[in-house]
Amino acid sequence: MCALLTWYGLLTNDKDKAIRLLDSFWQDISASTFGDMLLNNWVVWTNRLSDFVPMPEISPYYYPPWAQEYLRNMLEKHVDFGKIKELMNPSSPDLFVGTVDVLSGEFKTFMNNDISTDVILASSAVPEIFPAVKIGDTLYWDGVFSHNPPLLCILEGAKIKPDEIWVIHINPDTIQRYREPVSIGEIRNRRNTLSGNLSMHQEIDSIRRTNNWIRLGYLPGDKFKLIKLRFIQMLYELDKGTKQDRSPSFIDEMMDYGEEEARKLLMELA
C-alpha cells in the first residue's frame, strides 16, 4: 500500500503529493475515534494475551469482510485507479506487486496498468485476517508467500535495469536477537518472520551470485550489469501485537523511525 501511494504520487510528477498521500492514508487508517480506539486496544491486547493463554481462532470467512472493505474504500479515496493508464508514459516509474494463487500455489506479479484495488487487497490478504481476493477466476493471497518483494521480476520486467536496489526491510529476520523466543506467540512470530523472508533471501542471493560471476569474468559485462544492494531495516524488535496496532501514537512513531533510517541512508550516499 505504501508502494502504491508513493508510485501514484510519482506518476503525477509530484513527489510532494506522494508524501501527502502517505501521510493522509495512515492518518485515515489510524484509530482516531473513541470507539475505534477501544476496538484497536482490544485487538492488540488479545494478540498479546495469546502468548500466555490459548485464544480461539476464527476464520476470516466466518465474519463480515468489514475490514477489507474499509481498506478498499481508503485506497479508492486516495488513488484514482481509473486514471493510472492515463498517467502512465514511457518515463513513468514501474510498480510490481507480488501475490500467490491460493489453489495452485503459483506466483503472480502484477505491474503498472494491471494495478487495481483488488490487486493491492490481494497482495495484502494475510490469510488469518482477510479472505482471499478473486481477480478474474483466480483467488489470491498475500505476496509474502511468493515474491516479497519481487526483485527478480523487477530485473526482468523493468524498462531500464537499475544501478541499485534499495530494500525497505520492515520485517527483518537477520538482526541480532538477544532473547530466545519462548512463548507460543514469540515462537510463532519468529517462525513467520523467517518463513516470510525466504523468497527475498533467495532472490538477493541470486543477484549477489550474478554480481560475483560478472566480477570473475564468467558473465560478459556488456550484457550483464552489476547491481548494488542497499537496505533500510527495522532495527529493533516489536512484538506481534504491534502488527495490528493502529493507534495514532504508534503509527507516528513508526513513520518518524522510517524517516530517520531513510535519512541515514541518504547521508551515507551524500
Side-chain angles (χ1 to χ4, degrees):
M1 292 181 186
C2 289
L4 166 74
L5 295 164
T6 305
W7 177 71
Y8 185 72
L10 295 177
L11 283 184
T12 66
N13 293 316
D14 187 349
K15 66 179 181 181
D16 291 331
K17 180 175 181 177
I19 296 169
R20 290 195 303 271
L21 284 172
L22 285 166
D23 286 340
S24 61
F25 177 80
W26 285 105
Q27 286 172 5
D28 286 348
I29 289 295
S30 66
S32 52
T33 66
F34 179 72
D36 207 7
M37 285 189 284
L38 288 179
L39 174 63
N40 180 70
N41 291 339
W42 178 79
V43 169
V44 174
W45 176 81
T46 303
N47 264 305
R48 288 174 175 155
L49 185 64
S50 66
D51 281 0
F52 310 100
V53 179
M55 301 293 289
E57 293 188 74
I58 303 173
S59 166
Y61 291 88
Y62 294 155
Y63 51 77
W66 291 331
Q68 203 168 45
E69 287 308 306
Y70 180 76
L71 278 177
R72 178 185 298 277
N73 292 335
M74 287 297 100
L75 288 167
E76 292 177 349
K77 172 184 173 181
H78 292 82
V79 174
D80 185 346
F81 288 89
K83 286 186 67 176
I84 287 176
K85 289 184 180 180
E86 176 187 327
L87 292 170
M88 290 292 299
N89 62 66
S91 63
S92 296
D94 298 313
L95 177 64
F96 298 80
V97 177
T99 63
V100 65
D101 182 331
V102 176
L103 302 183
S104 72
E106 294 180 359
F107 303 155
K108 170 71 175 179
T109 300
F110 295 89
M111 66 176 291
N112 297 344
N113 292 337
D114 295 328
I115 302 299
S116 65
T117 320
D118 284 338
V119 167
I120 301 300
L121 289 174
S123 187
S124 310
V126 180
E128 295 87 355
I129 303 173
F130 298 126
V133 176
K134 191 171 185 179
I135 302 174
D137 296 324
T138 307
L139 293 167
Y140 291 102
W141 263 346
D142 184 4
V144 74
F145 298 108
S146 55
H147 305 293
N148 188 42
L151 298 178
L152 295 184
C153 292
I154 291 171
L155 294 181
E156 293 167 3
K159 294 183 287 287
I160 300 174
K161 296 296 182 286
D163 298 306
E164 300 192 2
I165 292 176
W166 298 0
V167 179
I168 303 174
H169 203 183
I170 61 172
N171 204 23
D173 57 332
T174 54
I175 62 172
Q176 179 64 49
R177 260 66 180 182
Y178 296 100
R179 188 169 62 84
E180 179 183 3
V182 175
S183 71
I184 292 297
E186 290 172 338
I187 292 169
R188 185 185 296 123
N189 192 38
R190 184 59 175 154
R191 183 195 66 199
N192 288 346
T193 303
L194 292 169
S195 62
N197 282 284
L198 281 174
S199 65
M200 187 196 73
H201 285 309
Q202 290 171 347
E203 299 196 357
I204 284 175
D205 287 344
S206 177
I207 293 169
R208 286 175 170 159
R209 190 180 307 112
T210 301
N211 282 344
N212 194 42
W213 287 346
I214 295 170
R215 292 189 187 99
L216 293 173
Y218 300 155
L219 294 173
D222 59 335
K223 293 184 179 179
F224 292 86
K225 187 175 185 179
L226 285 168
I227 296 173
K228 176 75 175 177
L229 290 162
R230 300 185 191 274
F231 294 84
I232 302 174
Q233 291 188 307
M234 171 71 70
L235 294 176
Y236 64 89
E237 283 194 81
L238 297 169
D239 66 29
K240 67 168 187 167
T242 60
K243 294 190 177 188
Q244 291 176 273
D245 189 355
R246 296 182 296 111
S247 63
S249 59
F250 179 69
I251 288 176
D252 288 344
E253 179 187 346
M254 290 295 92
M255 294 185 80
D256 289 343
Y257 180 79
E259 288 176 6
E260 167 134 1
E261 292 304 307
R263 191 176 297 112
K264 288 179 184 176
L265 174 65
L266 294 175
M267 291 294 290
E268 289 174 13
L269 293 174

